[in-house]
Amino acid sequence: MEEFKPYVPPEKSLPEYTVKALILGIVLAIIMGAANAYLGMYAGMTVSASIPAAVISMAILMAFRDKNILENNMVQTAASAGEALAAGVIFTFPALVVLNYYTTFPYYIVTIIAALGGSLGALFTIVLRRAFIVEEKLPYPEGTACAEVLIAGDKGGSHARPILYGGLLGALYKFLGSIGVWKGTLEAAKMAGRRVLYFGSDLSAALISVGYIVGLNIAFLVFLGGAIAWFIAIPIYAAKMGNPQGLSALDLAWTIWSTKIRYMGVGAMVVGGLWSLVKLRGPIIRGIKRGLEAAKRRQAGEAVLRTEEDLPLNYVIALIIAFVIPMFLLYAHVLHSVGMAAVMAIIMLILGFFGSAIAGYLAGIVGSSNNPVSGITIMSLLFTALILKALGLSGMEGMAATILVAAVICTAAAIAGDTMQDLATGYLVGATPKRQQVFEIIGTFFAALVMAPVLNLLIQAYGIAGTPTAKGENALPAPQAFLMAKVTEGVFKGTLEWKMIYIGAAIAIILIIIDEILARMNSKFRTPVMPVAVGIYLPLSLGVPILLGGIARYLAEKASGRVEGMASPGVLGAAGLIAGEALTGILFAGLIVAGIAPSVKTTAVGNVIGVLFLLALLGWLYKLGKE
């Protein structure tokens, strides 16, 4: 196998820590963190900021003579931390409003947990970088796309054309969909006796691009998870339980999935996450050993390749201790119990590492935008709630303590997935890992400073649907926070859907057995658990375009007669589509917050145009890929 060579070789050193990179990274981290806080509470998802930040950074740095690709990479590293942190915050803290524990948030609680919890996520990934990126060689679709954007921008000329065209097409597609020319999701459901039959697909250029980059195997498994949930589990459940509320077929399908079937995905994630850690224990242990060896070599004055330098482990351990202590004191202040605060800190530390490891792994499979951080958080929340309940906490005190621990784990997992994505980008372009790790923490800290004011502003202006703070039709749904609140309530009140969690765990065990058999047969097709678990946990409508993208990649490679490398024109085009959609998504988030977002009436003709446009984009990727 040909040895991997980064774009900027290790022996070449370019300025990465610069004043303009620091200032630009911090400003973008704050802006994108604030924008995505609203977008996440409004739509239930955030937009990965790595590629938009890279594009914006390139545009601004063009004004400077002394610019370089590694400096640009540092900007996107810091900026993307703001978006990731927003996801961690909005998925958990609003649950305390849903539970009527808070009506507005104390600044110090949100800021401490966001800044330190997120930074822990970045620190936890340091021992995982080599295992996941160098040895396991996970695809990291958005990290790869971001690297291709940076490299093409640095080379210029014909290398940038697929990304430029893809960016324009992706932006146009997202813009037309955002103003309402076509629906973001086309879906239909009907009753067949007592069974409910559903099919739907998101109209998303970014999702077909994710499928194209990860390839057919992973894309199919994500779709398979959705098929298990929506084509098998939901019809069976509906046939058994009926429709006592008299809901429409579409509402019934979504209600069953969100309140029952989705927990199968949580069960599959628990087993799949633990199995992933067991399978990767060798690379993780080797990563730790090599980190210690590198630290010893540095102390002895030996040279270490720049592109293999992580933050020294003694620094990492010292920082982890320094970050855990303030959170322990915070827990003791909230609960007025030193002993319970110590238990919470230990739970947070252990589950935070496991959650960060799983998030880092999943970002390598489906990307940061589609990383089911809320699923990882629910998995951790279950363990936390059960332990705290067993130790005697109950009622509102127990539920609030659980959410405060889950908030740390969620922010850590969100930042961990983003950090691993950024480190994958850095690995491809030839960045220095330890410098990226420092910038990730810097971006996290500065984004954390605005999270509490943004949250309080949104809650006061709009309210959260279904709570006493709701302001009517414009109330924010905050779907993940609602789910966190209901799961926590379910544990402490004994109403949780354990049967569904067990079924998901059983599905994961079956997939593990099949995967081991396929591995012994040296099969190219494999069945890792986590993509299927993600498919069960996320709506089917996300899996459909991902599958279409994977099929387009497979057909393009077959037509070309050779396997295309990650720098193929098709992948460059896919990277451009992701960049265009992400940038437009960020822009629209700002327009929505400002109350000036344009809109038109969606029509059936518009929906047809949206489908045909998406098929044309798939055809374009296929054509690029077979060149």
Side-chain angles (χ1 to χ4, degrees):
M1 183 180 291
E2 186 179 348
E3 184 181 355
F4 168 76
K5 294 180 181 179
Y7 181 69
V8 178
E11 60 272 12
K12 184 177 181 179
S13 183
L14 296 175
E16 295 178 74
Y17 283 163
T18 66
V19 173
K20 58 181 179 293
L22 178 65
I23 294 173
L24 190 54
I26 289 171
V27 170
L28 289 177
I30 292 171
I31 292 172
M32 292 186 174
N36 275 286
Y38 174 82
L39 190 64
M41 289 182 69
Y42 175 75
M45 63 180 295
T46 57
V47 179
S48 176
S50 293
I51 295 174
V55 174
I56 293 169
S57 173
M58 277 194 290
I60 294 174
L61 293 179
M62 287 291 288
F64 295 88
R65 185 175 299 176
D66 57 336
K67 61 184 183 300
N68 68 79
I69 187 173
L70 300 189
E71 180 184 38
N72 202 341
N73 179 56
M74 282 295 169
V75 175
Q76 72 84 14
T77 297
S80 63
E83 171 270 327
L85 189 69
V89 168
I90 63 171
F91 290 171
T92 50
F93 280 105
L96 293 170
V97 175
V98 176
L99 293 170
N100 297 326
Y101 188 78
Y102 284 127
T103 52
T104 57
F105 296 104
Y107 182 82
Y108 72 96
I109 289 181
V110 176
T111 305
I112 290 173
I113 288 180
L116 302 185
S119 298
L120 281 174
L123 294 172
F124 288 148
T125 61
I126 290 171
V127 298
L128 303 172
R129 182 189 68 84
R130 173 170 289 276
F132 290 173
I133 296 173
V134 181
E135 298 190 18
E136 190 70 9
K137 290 183 169 55
L138 296 174
Y140 285 96
E142 287 175 302
T144 300
C146 187
E148 299 293 357
V149 168
L150 291 170
I151 292 170
D154 191 64
K155 288 181 176 179
S158 61
H159 298 281
R161 277 189 201 133
I163 289 181
L164 175 62
Y165 295 152
L168 293 173
L169 290 170
L172 176 62
Y173 195 86
K174 180 66 174 177
F175 175 78
L176 293 174
S178 296
I179 65 174
V181 173
W182 53 75
K183 290 183 178 180
T185 303
L186 295 182
E187 56 187 353
K190 63 177 290 186
M191 300 301 300
R194 288 169 61 91
R195 297 177 185 275
V196 58
L197 306 178
Y198 170 92
F199 188 79
S201 175
D202 280 15
L203 300 185
S204 167
L207 287 176
I208 63 170
S209 301
V210 166
Y212 192 94
I213 292 171
V214 300
L216 183 57
N217 193 164
I218 297 299
F220 172 75
L221 292 174
V222 174
F223 175 79
L224 176 64
I228 290 171
W230 293 82
F231 298 162
I232 300 174
I234 291 175
I236 290 175
Y237 189 90
K240 182 179 179 182
M241 303 304 295
N243 186 9
Q245 294 176 297
L247 300 173
S248 68
L250 189 58
D251 287 342
L252 179 62
W254 277 97
T255 299
I256 293 173
W257 173 76
S258 61
T259 61
K260 305 291 179 182
I261 305 304
R262 197 176 197 185
Y263 291 103
M264 288 169 48
V266 175
M269 276 187 205
V270 171
V271 174
L274 293 174
W275 180 248
S276 298
L277 293 176
V278 170
K279 290 284 287 183
L280 292 169
R281 67 188 184 280
I284 291 172
I285 292 170
R286 285 195 296 275
I288 294 172
K289 286 182 178 178
R290 289 180 183 178
L292 292 170
E293 290 169 1
K296 289 180 181 178
R297 291 203 304 272
R298 277 192 296 269
Q299 288 177 352
E302 293 183 32
V304 177
L305 283 177
R306 177 184 59 78
T307 52
E308 297 202 4
E309 278 191 287
D310 290 295
L311 273 176
L313 282 183
N314 54 336
Y315 287 15
V316 172
I317 293 169
L319 285 172
I320 289 174
I321 294 171
F323 291 165
V324 168
I325 290 173
M327 282 190 283
F328 158 72
L329 296 174
L330 176 64
Y331 291 150
H333 169 70
V334 172
L335 291 180
H336 308 290
S337 170
V338 173
M340 194 59 69
V343 172
M344 290 170 66
I346 293 170
I347 294 172
M348 174 267 296
L349 196 57
I350 295 172
L351 294 183
F353 174 76
F354 286 132
S356 297
I358 295 169
Y361 183 85
L362 287 177
I365 295 173
V366 296
S368 181
S369 292
N370 300 300
N371 199 348
V373 171
S374 57
I376 296 166
T377 307
I378 289 173
M379 179 182 72
S380 304
L381 185 147
L382 282 173
F383 287 119
T384 304
L386 290 170
I387 293 170
L388 294 181
K389 186 179 180 181
L391 292 174
L393 282 184
S394 61
M396 186 59 73
E397 184 181 49
M399 289 188 283
T402 299
I403 295 296
L404 288 175
V405 172
V408 176
I409 296 168
C410 190
T411 52
I415 291 293
D418 178 70
T419 301
M420 292 300 289
Q421 175 178 281
D422 291 338
L423 290 172
T425 300
Y427 177 69
L428 295 172
V429 302
T432 308
K434 71 175 183 181
R435 292 174 181 171
Q436 279 192 276
Q437 288 152 0
V438 169
F439 255 55
E440 190 80 32
I441 294 172
I442 290 172
T444 299
F445 261 81
F446 276 92
L449 297 177
V450 301
M451 286 295 110
V454 169
L455 266 185
N456 286 333
L457 176 65
L458 292 174
I459 290 170
Q460 289 171 352
Y462 299 100
I464 298 176
T467 73
T469 61
K471 305 293 184 183
E473 291 183 1
N474 294 323
L476 300 170
Q480 285 86 354
F482 236 96
L483 189 59
M484 303 294 171
K486 296 308 175 186
V487 169
T488 306
E489 217 170 34
V491 172
F492 282 94
K493 294 184 178 180
T495 58
L496 195 64
E497 293 294 331
W498 284 107
K499 186 183 292 184
M500 293 298 170
I501 293 173
Y502 295 147
I503 292 173
I507 291 172
I509 292 170
I510 292 170
L511 288 167
I512 288 169
I513 293 171
I514 294 172
D515 191 51
E516 289 299 303
I517 293 172
L518 291 172
R520 293 185 181 184
M521 294 169 59
N522 293 318
S523 172
K524 289 184 179 179
F525 178 80
R526 299 289 296 277
T527 59
V529 173
M530 294 308 276
V532 181
V534 170
I536 296 172
Y537 182 78
L538 295 175
L540 172 71
S541 57
L542 272 70
V544 172
I546 289 175
L547 175 63
L548 292 175
I551 292 172
R553 174 72 178 270
Y554 171 78
L555 294 175
E557 290 177 349
K558 193 172 181 180
S560 69
R562 57 190 170 84
V563 176
E564 297 283 357
M566 289 310 294
S568 75
V571 172
L572 289 173
L577 289 173
I578 293 174
E581 179 164 322
L583 278 170
T584 308
I586 295 279
L587 171 63
F588 246 81
L591 295 178
I592 290 170
V593 171
I596 56 173
S599 64
V600 298
K601 186 177 180 180
T602 305
T603 64
V605 173
N607 290 334
V608 171
I609 293 172
V611 172
L612 293 176
F613 195 165
L614 193 67
L615 292 175
L617 292 177
L618 281 166
W620 179 67
L621 288 177
Y622 167 78
K623 183 180 177 182
L624 283 176
K626 72 183 184 71
E627 288 178 357

